[in-house]
Amino acid sequence: MHFHRIFRRLSMTIHLLAFAAAAAEQPDDPADFHIAIIGAGIAGASAAYHLRRLSASGTEQTPKLYITVYETSPVVGGQVKNISPPESDRVLEAGASYFFEDDWCLTDTAQSLRLDRKVAHQGEGAVIWNGHHLLADRFCFHDVSRAATPRFWPSVWGIFWKTVKLFIRGNPSEVKSEWELGEFRSDMAIMQDKLQSLGRNGSFDSLQDELDKVGLGSTTRTSAEEFLRALSVPRSSQTSVVEPCVEALFGLNIKEATGLHIVASMGSTRPPPVAIQSGNGELITRMLRESSATLHVDSQVTKVENGSQRRFSLTVASPESTKQTRREHDVVVFTGDSMARLRPGGSNPPLKNIQHHITHFSTDLALDARIIGLELGWNPSTLLATENSSYIDREIRIMRLTTFPEFYIDHRGCEWDDECDQFVHVHRVDSRTPLSEAKLRFLAEGINDPEWNHIIWSHTQSWNHTLAVDGSNQFDPAAYQTEPEPGLLNSNSGLISMMEMSCRMGRNAAWKLLQTRLLPNGISQGDQIASFKSASYNVISENLEREKCNS
């Protein structure tokens, strides 16, 4: 009964052993080419994988590649994390939950690695609770199951008759709103086609410039509210129809998001949301393994400066010790906010962190949605809640409640019976604030009796979203383009934090590197020192100032 769990653990052990074997010191032949990638999330794994794959498929003779990935955390994955309830083989997503089938970078990579995909549970039978009415999800997901539940997916005829009824009732404003939302859907389909073309047919230097090129540049310069107003989406629809979709994918409300977040999160005109069958984390692990990269976890790059034998020298520290090591590379690829953290203080705008908490818990009871003011006689698969929901406790902000099919819990050493092996309900709660044990009990039981506890297991994962505080939602533009120094490539996708964009940014970094003169021809030592004109990047700005004074 535990075969799948044992197989997954054995597979992970093999992967880690392969990484450990690769971590052995490589011979330092001047003709070889050493690439450092900072970050082992989607972008870093994508850069490593596509570097290896594209260089192997090239016709030109290239130097031998050595790829080294540095990850500050003890595990790889970034904002992708898989968990399983105790004694269960089912995999749950505690981070980035899903992507869409037309996200070509992820789907193409999964296919090349022969990783099966499944329809993500989040898109099945989703409904929205706005505090007053239970609404059909018309924009967040393309749900194949809606054919079996037409009451939550109006057909074209249904929309037509609804319009007729509104005319008969004498509500012209609602009729106008209905048709405006229809136009909004058409606008989203056009913009999503443009987004699909981004980065597909070549590399680019600047993400913002590439968005301008495909006709979506204004979406990053416009707040979500302004974007929706320009498309004539009524305010009531913004909060009760559109905002739940943005929160489901990004964990942001429309005051925090940009127009680009709106475009990416409207899934009703796209194929169904999917996830990797064995967990989205498996995609990252497989990309790293196939890249033959040397992986260093618990390794924080604190400084990048001129090297003596190669272009760059990296100072690497471990969070668990004071020991620091120096390693030299010909090229450095930054992912996430790794370059921003190494910049001198003051070069980036003030930022704020938005917290997003994902809590999974199992219980032998059905979910009780009264905590958000909703009483149901049935349990929806995915319930998206708006900020207007009537919360019993105003200190919490629940964005999504998800109920998974019954999980079989296989207790060891016993025959199946109701007292031992059993099926339980597993729920996921996305919230802005962490949920206490008492709140989880209320969700499971609808009562606040501490003596009555049906919570069997729980797991909470917290994530931070970094936003600019000036209201522009803009980061340092240099964070999305190749640095003037050709050996520094930044694949930060912070304009929009999603799995697909991170995958494309990593792929783009690989393309950019392979298209430069660095890799095919190599660069002499003299050129290395002459072309590296910037001062060292340092996590601690005081150290940087001290170095300048000493020089």
Side-chain angles (χ1 to χ4, degrees), residues 236-248:
S236 59
S237 298
Q238 292 181 26
T239 56
S240 63
V241 178
V242 178
E243 185 174 61
C245 307
V246 183
E247 289 185 329

Side-chain angles (χ1 to χ4, degrees), residues 254-276:
I254 58 174
K255 294 180 180 179
E256 300 158 346
T258 66
L260 187 59
H261 291 101
I262 302 293
V263 175
S265 60
M266 298 294 104
S268 61
T269 57
R270 304 178 65 182
V274 295
I276 301 300

Side-chain angles (χ1 to χ4, degrees), residues 10 25 46 63 70 74 88 91 103 112 169 178 258 307 316 320 328 333 346 440 470 473 511 523 530 543-544:
L10 179 61
E25 291 297 324
S46 176
Y70 298 96
S88 175
V91 177
D103 284 334
S112 67
R169 293 174 187 171
E178 191 69 23
T258 66
V316 184
E320 302 299 327
E328 297 199 352
V333 178
L440 287 181
D470 60 1
N473 289 296
W511 270 110
I523 291 183
N543 288 356
L544 180 66

